[in-house]
Amino acid sequence: MFEDGQLYSPVSRGDDGEVQVHLAENHPGFADPDYRRRRNEIADAALRREPGGPVPTIDYTEEEHGIWRQVCAELGPQHARHASREYLAAKERLGLPTDRVPQLDEVTARLQPLTGFRYVSAPGLVELREFYGSLADAEFHSTQYLRHPSMPLYTPEPDIIHEVVGHANQLASPRFAALTRAAGTAVRRLETDEAVQLVADVFWFTLEFGVVREDGDLKAYGAGILSSYGELDEYARMEIRPLDLASMGTLNYDITSYQPVLFAADSLDQLEDVVGVFFTEVDDDRAAALHRSGLAAAGRV
């Protein structure tokens, strides 16, 4: 999803009330005490938010604003070359600032009149059913921290750049917003964890890593591609397959590297006809059947 992966750092609160974000030893900020203190502060703010309460305002530093500016400057030309028309139009309508990090409340103020979506803060990983269930209510859980300044074009975990540049711009499209809500509604009605995971995997290969053909060219609409400088350089050279729900729902993939297999829609109409209808109609039995079919086709049963 990013230059090398998508791993949320665990967050804990000790008996003394102190919040700690547990960065992996290979994280760019692991040996930086100032960055670690900052991550702890931002996670603490999210954890202190009462359910339904106001989203915390983060007083971003000039260094953090500088990271946002640099990434936006690098991604802008990449978007112009590689993003789908639908994403580009939505991005223009949303009009996010490129010179500073926006507050999540500002993102909501711009996004909600367009498609109804609002942003709420999260310290890190949100449990699968909670995250998708909230999408059904047009609520998107977003982190608020930024990547380490030593590597502005790389992040080992989803930061606010991914959550906002990738997803908020995408969610400013009524078509992508409807698909996103439909995925959340599907998860709300599913009972088995296997079915929920299958929907999440289809979401991964579409709303996160989807590509679409436009006038003979392959364009990206997935938030994971469009928030990653590296993925935008590489996606067109990957193995491109046609939409296949059973395969998308069962394909093994590594979240710590570039995605070697992508699924292309022939058009957004086809994406809605195949994936949108799937999200709208899937139940536990249909999910189980697709899961069996995908495993059989891959020779894994």
Side-chain angles (χ1 to χ4, degrees), residues 19 35-36 43 47 49 60 81 105 112 118 121 142 152 155 169 171 188 212 216 223 234 239 242-243 247 277 282:
V19 171
Y35 181 77
R36 298 188 71 140
L47 286 172
R49 184 182 72 89
Y60 290 107
R81 288 193 297 271
D105 277 345
Q112 202 162 29
R118 63 188 179 279
S121 58
S142 171
T155 178
N169 282 324
L171 289 170
R188 279 269 178 87
V212 62
E234 297 292 331
E239 178 185 348
L243 294 180
S247 182
V277 170
V282 66

Side-chain angles (χ1 to χ4, degrees), residues 85-96 107-108 110-119 140 163-178 180 207 221:
R85 287 189 291 262
E86 185 74 14
Y87 176 90
L88 289 174
K91 178 181 177 181
E92 183 175 357
R93 284 195 299 271
L94 189 60
L96 291 170
V107 177
T108 293
R110 293 170 179 263
L111 182 60
Q112 202 162 29
L114 299 176
T115 63
F117 265 87
R118 63 188 179 279
Y119 266 55
F140 191 93
E163 314 278 37
V164 172
V165 174
H167 280 288
N169 282 324
Q170 182 191 68
L171 289 170
S173 155
R175 301 180 78 174
F176 290 139
T180 301
L207 277 305
Y221 68 86

Side-chain angles (χ1 to χ4, degrees), residues 32-259:
D32 184 341
D34 291 333
Y35 181 77
R36 298 188 71 140
R37 278 193 294 271
R38 181 61 168 162
R39 288 291 301 273
N40 294 344
E41 290 172 3
I42 293 175
D44 182 60
L47 286 172
R48 288 180 183 276
R49 184 182 72 89
E50 296 291 335
V55 174
T57 296
I58 305 300
D59 185 14
Y60 290 107
T61 66
E62 180 52 37
E63 183 176 56
E64 289 166 334
H65 287 305
I67 295 169
W68 180 273
R69 281 194 295 271
Q70 181 175 352
V71 175
C72 287
E74 296 284 352
L75 287 179
Q78 291 273 61
H79 287 172
R81 288 193 297 271
H82 299 299
S84 70
R85 287 189 291 262
E86 185 74 14
Y87 176 90
L88 289 174
K91 178 181 177 181
E92 183 175 357
R93 284 195 299 271
L94 189 60
L96 291 170
T98 58
D99 61 336
R100 59 178 175 80
V101 187
Q103 298 294 331
L104 293 187
D105 277 345
E106 179 182 357
V107 177
T108 293
R110 293 170 179 263
L111 182 60
Q112 202 162 29
L114 299 176
T115 63
F117 265 87
R118 63 188 179 279
Y119 266 55
V120 297
S121 58
L125 181 66
V126 178
E127 190 272 330
L128 203 63
R129 284 185 182 271
E130 180 184 358
F131 176 80
Y132 280 97
S134 296
L135 295 180
D137 297 326
E139 182 176 272
F140 191 93
H141 288 266
S142 171
T143 55
Q144 293 178 282
Y145 55 80
L146 283 98
R147 58 201 59 185
H148 193 264
S150 66
M151 305 179 75
L153 298 182
Y154 164 84
T155 178
E157 56 192 335
D159 67 347
I160 192 171
I161 292 172
H162 167 72
E163 314 278 37
V164 172
V165 174
H167 280 288
N169 282 324
Q170 182 191 68
L171 289 170
S173 155
R175 301 180 78 174
F176 290 139
L179 286 167
T180 301
R181 291 193 71 166
T185 302
V187 167
R188 279 269 178 87
R189 67 173 173 270
L190 295 172
E191 296 182 3
T192 68
D193 291 341
E194 180 184 83
V196 169
Q197 187 62 58
L198 187 134
V199 167
D201 289 340
V202 172
F203 188 95
W204 173 269
F205 283 111
T206 54
L207 277 305
E208 288 287 2
F209 280 93
V211 292
V212 62
R213 299 192 188 280
E214 292 181 355
D215 302 325
D217 295 323
L218 194 67
K219 299 293 186 177
Y221 68 86
I225 299 175
L226 290 164
S227 61
S228 169
Y229 188 90
E231 292 280 0
L232 282 165
D233 268 348
E234 297 292 331
Y235 79 95
R237 290 187 282 273
M238 301 306 180
E239 178 185 348
I240 307 299
R241 300 182 185 178
L243 294 180
D244 183 327
L245 294 170
S247 182
M248 287 189 285
T250 53
L251 182 68
N252 287 329
Y253 56 90
D254 182 358
I255 63 176
T256 65
S257 62
Y258 294 141
Q259 297 305 297

